[in-house]
Amino acid sequence: MSGSASLFGFPGGVRLPTHKAASTGDPIGALPLPPELVVPLTQHGGDPARAVVSAGDTVGRGECIGRAPGEFSAAVHAPTSGTVVAVEDRPVAHPSGLTEPCVVIATDGLDRRSPEAPEPLHDWAQRAPAELRRRIEAAGVVGLGGAAFPTAVKLTPRPGADVELLIINAIECEPWITCDDVLLREHAGAVLTGIRIMRHILGAQEVVIALEETKREAADALHEALAGAEDEGIRVVPVPVRYPAGGEKQLVQSLTGREVPTDGLPLDIGVLCHNAGTAAAVHDAVCLGEPLTERIVTVAGTGVGAPRNLRVRLGTPVSALVEAAGGYRGRTSRLIVGGPMMGHALEHDRVPVTKGCNCFLVGEEYSFPAPEPALPCIRCGDCADACPVSLQPQQLYWHARARDTEALAETGLFDCIECGACAYVCPSHLPLVGYYRSAKAEIRAAEQQQRFAEQARQRYEFRQARLERERREQAERRRRKKEALQTDAGADERGDRKAEIQAAIARARKRKRGGDD
């Protein structure tokens, strides 16, 4: 059930200062409802949800306000009761700084549950997997580890794919982030129930809950919740603290010794990964009938007075989280959503919390200094030693600068997971990940342009073929018409000739009868 397992590890990686204790000293805090919630219709990987409410509509907690338009999407629900005041574009926590369609709700403070919210399924173990997947899909559950991929889709493996191992990823390998840690400490039972539901749906043979070896309180809570269930085949496995141990492919390699194929998925080798927070959301959707309308968020960094974890309704402005964490202090220099390695800076705090927001970092100038000026690459090789995918980052850097797409493809640019380990150890302070992201964007844009050109060529060739077919058909119609006219003219000519012959015969007979008389 629990205990250590032989770990295989993964190449590269770096050790980072964790800063975890700063936000784990207090229990999870409950944030009061703000007067207004701004709920984006895109909070997931895939197609945006489509608003099904309008300004003036009254909604209850858990009511669907954005319906998924297809399989690769997720529904969006009202986080509390109130009145829809607008469906309009608002700023969101996106690196582009652009606006996206949002449903703006004026909260009424009553937190009334919607009558259309589903009833709890206490007998989920007797329900068919398809029914449970529909319940999870209707609840808008997505991966809460950051990618926000629709969970119901991930719980529907392709035909013929068997899930041998279900991995629950509770590793928060970036500094400061502790939302999964406190979730396991305080709600291990709910997480385990969600895990059992997912296992029932998938038919997984074995389950591993992976967490850092320093999360002793979380591990103890899991062991206590698992007591008396030794035969379930659920193991709690501590993993050494090394970044990026929580990366999906790195975690699979550490636990199984098998590598996920390039351009492949863990499912290709019989493994499926889900986040611990996702398991808790599955529990809420199935056992409580509650759609995904809130999540636990870490608010940390040297720029806030009291770092902590908060249970937050989706759509709450980031400014309210910062205020609940002691407010700004010192000379704040940066506000980051996500971790310091893979997160991105926000221009302001007037953006809403979404399903994929696990952490907000507030940094002072000394703790989050501006990047130092880049110097020439000295080919030290530190970046290659740190790369968890065994790439040669310095070669990728040179090829990216030269815009040599062929060489970039050969050296594995799209195997890069953009973890930032190479840039972290670079003594020349080169923004390596920035180069890789730019190169990927250029290649994708070129491929898209090529696809557009190919589609245009195909449309042109189709049009030319259609015009040629129409010309042939028109010529054929003219030919048939001409032949018909010729046939009709010949028939008329033969008819006239026959009439003349008949008339001549008649005249001859008449003359003959006159001679006989």
Side-chain angles (χ1 to χ4, degrees):
M1 176 184 71
S2 59
S4 61
S6 58
L7 297 176
F8 298 89
F10 61 92
V14 294
R15 294 192 178 276
L16 303 172
T18 61
H19 304 291
K20 303 286 188 179
S23 58
T24 56
D26 295 322
I28 300 171
L31 198 67
L33 287 171
E36 181 180 87
L37 295 174
V38 179
V39 187
L41 291 170
T42 302
Q43 302 190 50
H44 50 268
D47 299 325
R50 295 174 182 168
V52 293
V53 292
S54 304
D57 290 348
T58 301
V59 295
R61 188 185 81 245
E63 182 174 340
C64 182
I65 58 176
R67 203 167 302 282
E71 179 182 2
F72 292 98
S73 184
V76 177
H77 301 79
T80 188
S81 56
T83 303
V84 176
V85 296
V87 180
E88 61 187 17
D89 286 358
R90 290 285 187 96
V92 295
H94 191 274
S96 67
L98 299 177
T99 60
E100 290 184 357
C102 299
V103 176
V104 184
I105 301 173
T107 63
D108 59 15
L110 302 176
D111 202 29
R112 292 177 292 101
R113 191 170 190 263
S114 170
E116 72 176 35
E119 293 300 317
L121 288 181
H122 299 298
D123 60 343
W124 57 264
Q126 281 71 52
R127 303 293 180 124
E131 180 182 356
L132 297 175
R133 276 194 294 265
R134 287 193 296 271
R135 169 67 71 102
I136 294 167
E137 179 182 18
V141 179
V142 301
L144 298 186
F149 191 82
T151 300
V153 177
K154 204 170 181 180
L155 289 173
T156 312
R158 62 181 179 271
D162 293 327
V163 179
E164 301 172 9
L165 174 63
L166 171 61
I167 296 176
I168 302 302
N169 188 350
I171 298 175
E172 298 165 303
C173 53
E174 287 210 49
W176 302 101
I177 306 175
T178 58
C179 53
D180 286 347
D181 186 2
V182 296
L183 170 67
L184 291 174
R185 293 186 191 191
E186 299 186 26
H187 302 285
V191 174
L192 282 171
T193 300
I195 292 171
R196 293 182 175 110
I197 293 170
M198 291 194 288
R199 185 183 191 181
H200 173 64
I201 293 172
L202 295 167
Q205 302 171 19
E206 184 182 7
V207 178
V208 166
I209 306 172
L211 71 173
E212 296 101 313
E213 58 190 7
T214 53
K215 289 182 177 176
R216 296 182 181 88
E217 291 185 40
D220 290 343
L222 286 169
H223 293 325
E224 182 177 351
L226 279 167
E230 290 83 357
D231 59 342
E232 279 197 72
I234 300 177
R235 292 183 294 136
V236 180
V237 178
V239 174
V241 179
R242 183 159 56 109
Y243 179 79
E248 186 175 67
K249 292 186 177 182
Q250 286 66 47
L251 182 57
V252 170
Q253 187 172 359
S254 291
L255 295 175
T256 68
R258 292 176 284 175
E259 293 188 36
V260 178
T262 298
D263 297 328
L265 298 170
L267 188 59
D268 296 332
I269 56 174
V271 179
L272 199 62
C273 297
H274 280 282
N275 174 262
T278 309
V282 167
H283 162 270
D284 293 347
V286 174
C287 299
L288 304 180
E290 291 288 346
L292 180 54
T293 59
E294 63 182 19
R295 67 157 299 148
I296 299 172
V297 181
T298 303
V299 185
T302 59
V304 290
R308 62 184 309 188
N309 285 276
L310 299 166
R311 186 175 293 277
V312 181
R313 301 293 176 100
L314 304 178
T316 302
V318 176
S319 57
L321 277 68
V322 175
E323 183 179 351
Y328 294 106
R329 74 172 192 180
R331 298 183 61 183
T332 302
S333 64
R334 298 182 76 187
L335 174 61
I336 298 172
V337 56
M341 299 296 288
M342 299 185 71
H344 62 267
L346 296 175
E347 296 181 358
H348 52 77
D349 60 8
R350 299 181 302 279
V351 296
V353 175
T354 62
K355 297 176 183 181
C357 295
N358 60 352
C359 177
F360 291 97
L361 291 179
V362 184
E364 295 180 277
E365 290 182 354
Y366 78 89
S367 59
F368 290 86
E372 296 189 40
L375 301 171
C377 174
I378 61 174
R379 297 183 180 273
C380 63
D382 288 355
C383 55
D385 293 337
C387 180
V389 197
S390 300
L391 300 176
Q392 295 295 321
Q394 73 274 28
Q395 291 185 15
L396 291 174
Y397 163 68
W398 290 113
H399 296 324
R401 287 193 59 180
R403 295 187 173 180
D404 189 341
T405 57
E406 185 175 340
L408 283 168
E410 291 176 355
T411 47
L413 174 66
F414 284 94
D415 286 333
C416 170
I417 62 173
E418 302 178 17
C419 65
C422 55
Y424 179 80
V425 301
C426 178
S428 296
H429 313 297
L430 291 168
L432 297 172
V433 176
Y435 280 102
Y436 307 152
R437 287 174 178 164
S438 178
K440 288 180 180 180
E442 286 187 13
I443 292 173
R444 291 189 180 109
E447 290 176 346
Q448 186 178 47
Q449 189 70 23
Q450 187 175 357
R451 285 195 298 271
F452 288 160
E454 177 63 20
Q455 290 170 359
R457 183 189 65 80
Q458 292 177 358
R459 286 196 299 269
Y460 173 78
E461 291 181 351
F462 178 80
R463 181 175 182 275
Q464 292 301 110
R466 178 176 57 80
L467 292 175
E468 178 62 27
R469 184 179 66 254
E470 290 175 353
R471 282 194 293 268
R472 289 197 305 267
E473 291 173 352
Q474 190 176 27
E476 178 65 18
R477 286 195 297 269
R478 286 197 298 265
R479 184 187 65 78
R480 288 198 299 266
K481 185 175 181 180
K482 183 178 180 180
E483 289 180 351
L485 290 172
Q486 290 174 345
T487 301
D488 292 344
D492 292 342
E493 183 179 349
R494 288 191 297 273
D496 294 343
R497 180 63 177 164
K498 185 176 181 180
E500 291 175 1
I501 293 172
Q502 292 296 334
I505 293 173
R507 289 193 299 271
R509 287 176 177 170
K510 186 177 181 181
R511 287 195 299 269
K512 184 176 181 181
R513 286 196 298 271
D516 292 341
D517 294 341

